[in-house]
Amino acid sequence: MMAKVIATLEEATALFEKGSFGRAESACRRLLRRDKESTSALFLMALIHQEQKKTDAAIAAYRKLIEIKSDIPEAYYNLGILLSNSGVFAEAIQCQKKALKLKPDWEDAWNNLGKVYLDQRELEQAIACFEKVIELNELNPVAWLNYGNCLLKGVPLNVASESLEIFQKASELNPDSGQAQQNLGLILETLDRKDEAIKLFQRAVELEPDKKMWRYFLDVRLGTASADGLPPEYVTGLFDSYADDFDDHLVKNLEYNTPAKLYDVFIKKVDPERIDAGLHILDLGCGTGLSGVLFEKHKQSMVGIDLSKKMIEVAREKEIYDELIIGDMHQVMDDRPSSFDLILSVDVFVYVGDLNRTFEVAASSLKPNGYFVFSVEKHDGEGFQLAKTNRFQHAQSYLQELIEKYKFQSLQIEEHTLRKEGGLDMTGYVVVLQKL
């Protein structure tokens, strides 16, 4: 009997290694019918499910395995990866920690623990993990790359020079990684080594030509980019990636209070009787509803529009919008002429360069004497520019030109600190306009 079990296990393992996952699964099931607590069969079954992208089945198999035998570090490690990919970050962290308790010098587990912390924007813990990997193996390419990714999320621009060696090491150890070359380019650009940076941006695009955002940023540096705005897929991906902790990240980490500032200026400048009657509101780039919760009390109806499906899902949980739309804000305004008393847009035009079309469709979508209320980041020059933060900044003189061109009246343009970026204050304008 034992010989037959061993033979079946060897058969299942060989089939798995050949990529014959269906036949390998059948062999495992035969083993588990004989012994439902066979740890070897359960582990192999979990691996098969994992390779087949059957996430729920793989998680269940690893959980069952750990219930039976709790000292297999690979089970915790693989389960942690699956949980992290499923957004179950707290348990994923605990799994990687258990794997490391059993196998303390495991570089891959330290890297994965750090990656989960990085995804959660817990940068100090993430950096400690990547430093541990480098202590174990100073030539680990993944650790250096992840270390750089960490610093890009949190390093103040004025101390970038102190981090240069880390990005250079990541680039050296990951010569075929577009991300490593892109990261080093960003740091060199911050240090005004622009020619070197452009060469690295070009190399990154060559290595990973599907990264449309990198192509766009390279075109910006070469002066060949469209001025309309950032690629929609970049904006969608950015906000889908951290919709769940978006509110906490903005308010706690970036000291973001632009919605409150804009609301206060709006309330001071508008007709109280009109507010009391209730407004039909359109919230452009509504995100999770941070702005909507402030303006909801004055609504007769409120529509939210955003490119990010995950942001819309979080906003829906707040139950403040009468309608939520996943799509393009310009199209929504164009499709609804003379429909709104208030069009609201907070921290959205940083992803739009040329605001001509935005002003044009906003003017057509507003009712007579309707309000257009928004924020922008400040540009000290003329017109607008794409800053090193990959966000557009607009000059007050440029806004004034648009106000006059599209027949708005300026009720208030106030300069404020809008948020933190890399440890530095980001200054901008909160703007309240009325359609003439």
Side-chain angles (χ1 to χ4, degrees):
M1 175 67 77
M2 182 58 67
K4 188 172 183 180
V5 169
I6 293 172
T8 304
L9 183 60
E10 289 175 347
E11 175 194 355
T13 303
L15 289 167
F16 172 77
E17 291 173 349
K18 290 178 182 178
S20 299
F21 300 127
R23 293 173 63 195
E25 182 177 348
S26 296
C28 279
R29 291 194 185 283
R30 292 200 304 272
L31 287 168
L32 289 169
R33 280 196 292 271
R34 292 192 184 98
D35 180 4
K36 64 181 180 179
E37 294 192 351
S38 168
T39 55
S40 298
L42 278 170
F43 187 65
L44 185 54
M45 181 69 87
L47 289 173
I48 292 166
H49 290 321
Q50 194 168 355
E51 287 294 327
Q52 293 176 310
K53 311 298 182 187
K54 297 179 180 178
T55 301
D56 291 344
I59 288 174
Y62 282 123
R63 290 193 194 283
K64 178 66 174 176
L65 173 61
I66 288 167
E67 283 179 13
I68 297 167
K69 189 171 177 58
S70 61
D71 61 351
I72 304 174
E74 291 80 6
Y76 290 109
Y77 172 81
N78 289 345
L79 178 58
I81 291 174
L82 291 168
L83 291 170
S84 176
N85 292 340
S86 301
V88 188
F89 297 113
E91 189 179 354
I93 288 170
Q94 292 307 311
C95 283
Q96 297 299 350
K97 286 183 175 179
K98 287 176 181 177
L100 286 165
K101 187 175 181 180
L102 294 166
K103 196 173 178 180
D105 293 339
W106 194 3
E107 294 173 32
D108 288 347
W110 280 112
N111 259 325
N112 273 288
L113 178 57
K115 185 65 168 59
V116 180
Y117 281 132
L118 175 57
D119 290 341
Q120 289 293 94
R121 292 174 178 78
E122 297 181 28
L123 299 183
E124 289 185 9
Q125 294 94 322
I127 287 171
C129 291
F130 301 136
E131 287 178 341
K132 177 64 176 179
V133 180
I134 292 165
E135 176 188 320
L136 292 168
N137 177 9
E138 65 178 1
L139 298 180
N140 186 297
V142 176
W144 285 102
L145 180 58
N146 283 333
Y147 199 165
N149 289 336
C150 250
L151 295 179
L152 277 179
K153 288 183 180 291
V155 64
L157 299 180
N158 60 344
V159 297
S161 59
E162 299 175 15
S163 307
L164 178 59
E165 183 179 344
I166 292 166
F167 292 94
Q168 289 173 325
K169 194 72 173 179
S171 174
E172 174 191 336
L173 293 174
N174 296 274
D176 296 326
S177 164
Q179 187 69 65
Q181 313 318 312
Q182 184 78 5
N183 289 356
L184 178 56
L186 290 171
I187 293 299
L188 290 175
E189 184 179 56
T190 300
L191 299 172
D192 290 324
R193 293 165 61 175
K194 296 181 180 178
D195 291 343
E196 294 173 78
I198 286 176
K199 289 179 181 178
L200 286 160
F201 295 148
Q202 290 171 327
R203 179 59 179 154
V205 169
E206 289 172 4
L207 289 167
E208 300 186 42
D210 59 321
K211 293 294 181 71
K212 294 181 181 180
M213 197 62 197
W214 294 357
R215 175 78 256 178
Y216 179 79
F217 288 147
L218 176 59
D219 288 343
V220 168
R221 273 83 175 164
L222 297 175
T224 58
S226 165
D228 292 343
L230 301 181
E233 57 268 24
Y234 165 76
V235 179
T236 301
L238 176 67
F239 288 101
D240 276 349
S241 69
Y242 66 112
D244 291 338
D245 66 345
F246 180 75
D247 293 7
D248 283 345
H249 175 62
L250 279 182
V251 175
K252 295 179 181 178
N253 297 350
L254 302 184
E255 300 178 20
Y256 175 78
N257 63 352
T258 306
K261 290 177 179 177
L262 192 59
Y263 175 79
D264 290 343
V265 174
F266 172 74
I267 289 299
K268 291 174 185 176
K269 292 296 176 180
V270 300
D271 180 358
E273 292 185 3
R274 191 166 183 189
I275 289 180
D276 291 342
L279 302 172
H280 294 283
I281 302 171
L282 175 61
D283 188 357
L284 303 178
C286 65
T288 61
L290 274 176
S291 302
V293 294
L294 298 173
F295 286 84
E296 184 213 4
K297 62 178 73 74
H298 306 299
K299 76 169 187 175
Q300 187 168 337
S301 68
M302 187 160 63
V303 177
I305 167 75
D306 203 281
L307 285 171
S308 168
K309 179 182 177 181
K310 290 188 177 180
M311 286 288 192
I312 289 288
E313 289 172 355
V314 177
R316 184 170 283 113
E317 293 174 0
K318 290 185 169 68
E319 298 183 345
I320 58 174
Y321 294 97
D322 299 279
E323 182 182 1
L324 284 165
I325 303 168
I326 302 167
D328 176 71
M329 65 181 182
H330 295 113
Q331 190 63 54
V332 170
M333 289 188 283
D334 203 27
D335 290 344
R336 304 191 185 198
S338 302
S339 298
F340 300 102
D341 303 297
L342 167 63
I343 294 178
L344 168 69
S345 183
V346 183
D347 205 39
V348 174
F349 297 160
V350 293
Y351 302 106
V352 183
D354 187 347
L355 292 174
N356 268 280
R357 187 183 177 211
T358 308
F359 267 69
E360 180 183 12
V361 292
S364 70
S365 193
L366 283 168
K367 296 178 181 181
N369 301 312
Y371 300 103
F372 188 23
V373 181
F374 59 89
S375 66
V376 294
E377 289 187 4
K378 178 184 176 181
H379 173 39
D380 289 321
E382 297 295 322
F384 57 89
Q385 70 166 4
L386 184 65
K388 292 176 181 178
T389 57
N390 298 328
R391 294 159 64 91
F392 282 101
Q393 299 173 336
H394 298 84
Q396 186 170 351
S397 59
Y398 174 72
L399 297 177
Q400 195 60 49
E401 290 173 9
L402 296 174
I403 290 167
E404 295 173 6
K405 180 177 180 179
Y406 294 102
K407 297 181 171 51
F408 285 97
Q409 175 188 3
S410 176
L411 300 184
Q412 192 70 36
I413 300 178
E414 285 189 7
E415 186 173 323
H416 287 277
T417 297
L418 302 180
R419 64 203 288 272
K420 294 282 189 182
E421 182 73 35
L424 304 177
D425 289 341
M426 300 304 295
T427 304
Y429 302 108
V430 293
V431 181
V432 180
L433 309 179
Q434 187 170 23
K435 179 179 175 179
L436 292 175

